[in-house]
Amino acid sequence: MGGALHNLYSSWADKIKKCLATLEAYIDFSEDQHLDNTILDTVKCSVDKLKQEIATHLSDKRKGEKLRSGVFVVLVGRPNVGKSSLLNNLCKREIAIVSSTAGTTRDIIETSLNLGGYLVNISDTAGIRETFDSVEQEGVKRTKERSRKADILLFLVESKQVLKLMDSYCLKETDILAHLLHVELGEDFFNDIKNLQNSSDENQCLTNYCVGMNVILLLNKIDLLSPEEFQRISHLENSNPAICAISCTEGMGMGRFVDHFTRNVQEICCGHRGEEPTITQERHRQYVQKCYEHLMEFESLLECDIAIAAYNLRNATNELGKITGKIRVDDILDI
């Protein structure tokens, strides 16, 4: 392992080794040399600061792993809204069968594409609707399961249907996305969101879900709109950055959507420039997490058993050593 991550973990290991050397010197010589007890406070302060750095590092939303393994994107919507056409358009080839017959896509179709230099794993799913067909029911069930795990949800709706809903329910432009998620994905899907967020406020739950999950609402088939309808949809698109008006068959609006989609993928993978390097492998995350847990143990034991607390510092160093290279006893003695 090399690069920025190696340097970061090595610097952490060095800090822990210095704390460990100081603590062991205190254990061995405190009585003979009349060492000041403020040494323990200095070590505790250094470990506490390091714990905060590691905690921040671990709360990276797995950006590094997504950069390495790809962003998970799911296409979802009712039958015949254009999910398969969108998939084919994005991939620039025929991946999914496109048909006017509802329920053509019954199982999940997966493919990968390069979007602005980032790996995207995209799934076309069965159209969500009530059905008595057992095979299609299973497809709808898998669609909802995949939707819950998506990094980005591409939610397709026919633009004409959106205008009808807005007129029928007197919906505000700011409410349309949350309303569609509730109606289209179903009560069970919504209840899962509500339980996960531990909130009884339905509107707040859906708003938090949309913001936290990177939902993009795609109003498809704008090529079939009248001039008046097109103007309304354009106004709706301009009022909400999460909404894109497109035509998968004619290519209208696809450039704006792809730019928006790419920015979302980039944000998930890399965040803002200038951030600390992120974890790129699950195995490394486990070692860093164990290092953090040993530091937590150290803090809880320092007041009652200094020797065991020092043992936790050694274990924390060893966990980082599994990433950067082995830690030798001489490393401690040389400090």
Side-chain angles (χ1 to χ4, degrees):
M1 181 186 183
L5 270 179
H6 181 275
N7 294 336
L8 179 64
Y9 296 153
S10 295
S11 70
W12 287 350
D14 289 341
K15 291 176 183 177
I16 298 173
K17 284 186 288 184
K18 287 178 181 178
C19 290
L20 178 57
T22 302
L23 196 61
E24 291 188 342
Y26 179 85
I27 294 171
D28 292 338
F29 306 115
S30 60
E31 294 183 1
D32 296 337
Q33 302 296 328
H34 304 290
L35 298 179
D36 196 336
N37 286 337
T38 57
I39 291 175
L40 295 181
D41 294 332
T42 302
V43 170
K44 185 177 181 301
C45 182
S46 298
V47 171
D48 190 56
K49 184 177 179 181
L50 185 57
K51 269 172 38 192
Q52 293 177 22
E53 289 182 31
I54 295 176
T56 301
H57 186 65
L58 288 169
S59 62
D60 63 349
K61 299 181 180 179
R62 298 181 178 269
K63 290 180 179 179
E65 286 115 313
K66 294 184 191 302
L67 182 61
R68 183 185 180 93
S69 60
V71 176
F72 183 35
V73 178
V74 176
L75 301 177
V76 66
R78 287 188 176 274
N80 287 345
V81 294
K83 298 185 299 298
S84 297
S85 296
L86 177 62
L87 180 66
N88 293 339
N89 191 306
L90 288 172
C91 296
K92 307 301 182 186
R93 57 194 175 98
E94 297 295 319
I95 298 291
I97 298 173
V98 177
S99 170
S100 59
T101 303
T104 299
T105 303
R106 294 191 168 201
D107 202 356
I108 295 170
I109 299 173
E110 297 176 315
T111 189
S112 298
L113 58 93
N114 183 312
L115 194 66
Y118 299 97
L119 176 63
V120 174
N121 302 311
I122 189 165
S123 298
D124 182 20
T125 61
I128 297 176
R129 66 170 180 173
E130 296 295 328
T131 178
F132 295 104
D133 187 308
S134 59
V135 176
E136 196 173 350
Q137 285 176 345
E138 179 63 25
V140 172
K141 177 184 175 183
R142 294 183 182 185
T143 294
K144 293 182 179 181
E145 289 173 351
R146 284 296 179 92
S147 300
R148 295 182 181 96
K149 300 174 183 178
D151 297 313
I152 297 177
L153 196 68
L154 300 182
F155 184 28
L156 275 79
V157 186
E158 288 190 18
S159 49
K160 279 184 177 288
Q161 181 63 22
V162 171
L163 295 177
K164 289 179 181 178
L165 284 171
M166 292 182 69
D167 292 339
S168 299
Y169 293 95
C170 299
L171 294 174
K172 298 178 182 178
E173 294 172 345
T174 53
D175 297 334
I176 187 64
L177 180 54
H179 177 84
L180 285 168
L181 279 169
H182 194 174
V183 171
E184 300 292 314
L185 295 184
E187 189 69 27
D188 56 341
F189 186 87
F190 169 72
N191 286 335
D192 283 349
I193 297 171
K194 188 163 62 173
N195 292 334
L196 283 172
Q197 297 189 9
N198 193 27
S199 172
S200 58
D201 187 333
E202 296 188 2
N203 291 331
Q204 189 61 47
C205 279
L206 286 168
T207 300
N208 292 343
Y209 175 76
C210 295
V211 171
M213 190 180 171
N214 279 321
V215 178
I216 301 177
L217 176 61
L218 298 175
L219 309 183
N220 194 23
K221 305 184 181 181
I222 58 174
D223 55 305
L224 304 179
L225 298 176
S226 67
E228 181 184 349
E229 290 171 332
F230 184 83
Q231 187 174 8
R232 289 182 64 190
I233 288 294
S234 296
H235 186 268
L236 180 60
E237 179 184 33
N238 294 330
S239 68
N240 192 325
I243 295 177
C244 292
I246 63 170
S247 169
C248 294
T249 56
E250 301 299 323
M252 299 168 62
M254 287 298 296
R256 180 181 181 277
F257 157 62
V258 171
D259 288 343
H260 179 53
F261 186 20
T262 303
R263 286 194 297 271
N264 282 22
V265 170
Q266 183 178 17
E267 173 62 26
I268 289 172
C269 290
C270 299
H272 301 289
R273 292 182 179 180
E275 290 183 349
E276 291 287 344
T278 56
I279 303 171
T280 57
Q281 296 186 42
E282 177 60 29
R283 179 172 59 88
H284 292 170
R285 181 176 295 277
Q286 291 173 3
Y287 293 144
V288 175
Q289 179 65 43
K290 288 178 181 178
C291 171
Y292 179 78
E293 291 169 1
H294 286 305
L295 295 181
M296 291 289 290
E297 282 291 314
F298 163 81
E299 189 175 54
S300 64
L301 292 168
L302 186 60
E303 299 295 332
C304 56
D305 196 321
I306 299 177
I308 297 179
Y311 180 73
N312 276 280
L313 284 186
R314 188 178 295 277
N315 284 340
T317 310
N318 288 338
E319 293 299 336
L320 293 177
K322 293 174 184 177
I323 305 175
T324 62
K326 293 295 182 182
I327 302 296
R328 301 173 301 146
V329 174
D330 291 344
D331 292 334
I332 308 297
L333 298 177
D334 289 342
I335 296 176

